[in-house]
Amino acid sequence: MDGSTLKASNYDEVATACRLAKEIGCDYFELKAMLDQDHYTVNQDEQYIDRVNERWESLKELEDDSFRLLRSSNWEAYGTARARTSPRSTPAARSPDCAPR
């Protein structure tokens, strides 16, 4: 991290991780915003958030009765905050959670 902006991330791994979660039998895959040690959302450029959201839309085809896609409230708040704030106050992707069946 440089200041409060994340420089390296797992944005491009979200789709692969989601498919793997379904393949190994997880009930769901949850996308979460990255938090710092004080539990504040880590700032990130809007372009990275857009990349994750584009991939997320294509992953909806994986949902069925036994596998769900979830986004945390911090990630969802990004959409609301985006209309009010600059990209410097947006969440960043982090390792998602999954729960085995």
Side-chain angles (χ1 to χ4, degrees):
M1 285 177 77
D2 175 22
S4 63
T5 301
L6 189 68
K7 295 297 182 187
S9 183
N10 62 347
Y11 290 117
D12 294 323
E13 298 170 4
V14 169
T16 300
C18 185
R19 287 186 182 94
L20 178 61
K22 182 170 181 165
E23 182 180 310
I24 65 172
C26 292
D27 292 326
Y28 66 90
F29 181 89
E30 184 174 10
L31 184 65
K32 293 186 174 188
M34 183 174 159
L35 304 177
D36 66 16
Q37 64 188 16
D38 295 318
H39 302 282
Y40 288 99
T41 306
V42 174
N43 294 332
Q44 195 50 237
D45 291 330
E46 191 172 324
Q47 67 179 338
Y48 299 117
I49 301 302
D50 290 342
R51 281 173 35 197
V52 171
N53 285 333
E54 287 169 14
R55 285 173 177 79
W56 191 256
E57 288 303 311
S58 70
L59 293 170
K60 288 183 177 180
E61 68 186 27
L62 297 176
E63 284 190 297
D64 57 27
D65 291 339
S66 63
F67 185 74
R68 308 305 292 164
L69 296 176
L70 305 173
R71 293 195 279 197
S72 71
S73 59
N74 283 348
W75 187 271
E76 290 295 334
Y78 165 70
T80 304
R82 184 180 215 171
R84 298 188 313 255
T85 63
S86 74
R88 305 305 299 167
S89 63
T90 59
R94 76 165 182 96
S95 298
D97 292 336
C98 92
R101 286 184 226 169

